[in-house]
Amino acid sequence: MGHDESPTARALLTLELLQSSPGITAERLGERLRVTERAARRYVAILREAGIPVESERGPYGGYRLGRGMRTPLIFTTAEALGLVMALLDGHHDIADATGPVGSAVGKIGRVLPESLSQTVAAVRRTISAVPDQSAVSPDPDITTSLVQACDSRRRTTIAYTTENGNERKMVVDPWAVVVRHARWYLLCWSHTADARRVLRVDRMGAVDIEETSFVRPEIDPVTEVEEHLGEGWAYSVEVVFDAPFAQVDRYLPRVLGRLEPVDDGHCRLVGSTNSPEWYAQELARRAVPFRVVEGDEVRRCVAVLGQRLLDAAQRR
């Protein structure tokens, strides 16, 4: 909301600041409103007279915040509203479908926006289309919500899971984190059923039952754990040596290719596996450093085929 000299505009801006900056002091509120501290307190009093519960705390760390349970209108700038719609489009959600959860939510947001801003958002929905991600699979929102709650409360969970082979099974897990990677949703967990760490596809879960038993989550980086796990246990093992320092290669190498470890100051080793040697060879070729496939006949063959194809393409006819 832009600056306006009218008392009504300043009162609305006060409400916006209380929403976006809980604990804001009267001094800071006055700076943002471009008024004195005394005047800022008067605008807080106006909100209270209008029935809006504004709580205050005294002391060096005190300030103003809205009371719990307060329902206030959503206040967006143009950049915020369009940024939200663009993020949904970038995630390849079908926001044009008003009956779907995403389209319905965007519709509700549009109805509470000022008319000029609502028209801009509607125009974006009408005129911009995102290319659908063929590999993206949307999990059930209720199941995803339950998993997030189980992760947050550190509660053991029983899930109904369909494996890659189509077999259905019950699994008892300690849910560590939900990770979204390349439009796919994964649950990183410790499986008591398998007595091992597991990364499970959320879209393959049919039911989630949160138990009373709690657990302690290890100190981990969930994204790194998921990517490293996705590089393990596939049909074709591979070992690659890069003629470059570990730090140089590690910045650009996807974790899904496997585990990278230093050899010496000028070399590092990648140990991984894949179900698609052709794809693996292409990923290796994208790195701008020399490398050698020291183990993994299938990947070595695909690297040779790819190299010959590139040489043939470079020949002048």
Side-chain angles (χ1 to χ4, degrees), residues 198-225:
R198 287 290 183 263
V199 174
L200 306 175
R201 290 263 298 273
V202 177
D203 60 280
R204 291 180 179 166
M205 297 180 187
V208 174
D209 183 20
I210 302 176
E211 303 177 4
E212 294 296 330
T213 305
S214 60
F215 64 88
V216 177
R217 197 189 84 169
E219 293 297 326
I220 55 174
D221 178 352
V223 174
T224 299
E225 290 283 331

Side-chain angles (χ1 to χ4, degrees), residues 186-199:
Y186 298 94
L187 174 68
L188 173 65
C189 63
W190 178 265
S191 170
H192 292 276
T193 306
D195 194 27
R197 180 192 63 173
R198 287 290 183 263
V199 174

